[in-house]
Amino acid sequence: MRPSDRIFCALDTTDTADAVTLAKKLKGTVGGIKLGLEFYCANGADGFKRVADAGLPIFLDLKFHDIPNTVAGAIRAVMPLAPKLFTIHTQGGPEMMRRAAETAAEEADKHGLKKPWVIGVSILTSLDDSDLKAIGVADSVPDQVARLARLAAENGLDGMVCSPKEITLARAATRPDFKLVVPGIRPAGSAVGDQKRVMTPQDAVDAGADVLVIGRPITQAADPAEAARAISASLKSGGNAESSAA
Ligand code: C5P
């Protein structure tokens, strides 16, 4: 596994042409591209295909959250796009997670694809303990993240998204091959922007991160490919090769 395989660059834009240009520039320097709600709502499956045509694996971050039947339907709808990984909300509950994992496996078989990683989102980092209380959750954010991580692992998910601060507790609550996908990564010396809790790429890998989601430190750089190369160079190779995105 190459260190660059761990890096998924978040392209938070609505502009397909910009996304395609960046994806082409980044080919060979990162493990893949993350496309989220902003991009997908604006450009849909066609936009996804245009970016994927650049040749990098795609992380489709749409955070599905609905009744099990509807989430299964959404997964069936996106599977022909062959994302390498996609997200669902773990707060959709055990049955929703099981159905999501089963549907991803069935549809992958049907389309002759490798099963994508079904990745859970736990508590959004924009929420704190008082927000949880407001919606009737008495537990603290860390306790709730650990609970949802355990539930996700027990109900067939391949991994979860967690903040740098949550890597250790998520790893402790789950099995060693459960993939931890971590945003909030900032190379030493780069602008933190609106991220509140950041970690350097190597510190995140040392703590147990499998995939590093990195946006602006790459996309806003004068030379995005060079920025991505520098981040890879800052990573020692090795880590958990089994769980790499390669
Ligand atoms: O530009 P930056 O590196 O901050 O981008 C991080 C990416 O990870 C963005 O797409 C952001 O939406 C996403 N993300 C995050 N924090 C979370 C979950 C997702 O920053 N808790």
Side-chain angles (χ1 to χ4, degrees):
M1 183 207 51
R2 291 163 304 179
S4 61
D5 292 332
R6 287 185 188 284
I7 302 170
F8 271 64
C9 181
L11 300 188
D12 292 311
T13 174
T14 54
D15 189 315
T16 312
D18 280 356
V20 170
T21 303
L22 252 174
K24 284 183 178 159
K25 278 188 189 155
L26 292 174
K27 186 147 187 234
T29 69
V30 293
I33 297 294
K34 180 174 91 80
L35 297 175
L37 278 170
E38 190 178 341
F39 181 86
Y40 203 83
C41 287
N43 304 296
D46 286 343
F48 179 111
K49 285 181 202 157
R50 286 183 55 195
V51 176
D53 282 346
L56 282 163
I58 307 287
F59 169 9
L60 185 59
D61 186 21
L62 300 182
K63 301 183 176 68
F64 295 140
H65 190 179
D66 211 312
I67 59 172
N69 193 53
T70 301
V71 167
I75 292 169
R76 278 195 294 277
V78 298
M79 276 298 294
L81 297 171
K84 167 118 191 148
L85 55 159
F86 67 84
T87 45
I88 67 170
H89 266 283
T90 54
Q91 288 180 87
E95 193 199 333
M96 189 199 97
M97 290 192 264
R98 279 196 302 277
R99 281 283 300 281
E102 284 162 16
T103 305
E106 286 161 13
E107 293 296 300
D109 262 4
K110 191 166 121 193
H111 295 285
L113 300 167
K114 205 164 167 229
K115 185 185 145 296
W117 297 350
V118 184
I119 299 294
V121 171
S122 59
I123 303 296
L124 296 171
T125 45
S126 48
L127 302 178
D128 61 17
D129 288 355
S130 65
D131 293 310
L132 290 192
K133 274 211 179 66
I135 57 168
V137 177
D139 278 338
S140 67
V141 170
D143 286 351
Q144 191 61 3
V145 169
R147 172 183 289 111
L148 292 169
R150 265 193 307 276
L151 270 182
E154 284 165 12
N155 286 284
L157 298 207
D158 300 291
M160 70 185 291
V161 178
C162 59
S163 77
K165 202 183 142 200
E166 295 161 353
I167 297 172
T168 307
L169 72 89
R171 184 57 78 211
T174 58
R175 51 180 197 269
D177 68 342
F178 195 70
K179 279 108 180 144
L180 300 183
V181 176
V182 183
I185 301 296
R186 288 293 179 268
S190 74
V192 169
D194 55 359
Q195 293 284 6
K196 294 205 172 73
R197 296 186 291 267
V198 298
M199 217 180 239
T200 66
Q202 184 62 51
D203 285 349
V205 171
D206 286 343
D210 297 294
V211 171
L212 306 175
V213 175
I214 307 178
R216 288 161 290 180
I218 296 174
T219 60
Q220 307 290 300
D223 183 342
E226 192 43 47
R229 271 188 221 102
I231 293 170
S232 292
S234 76
L235 287 174
K236 294 178 267 185
S237 50
N240 188 354
E242 255 316 287
S243 59
S244 86

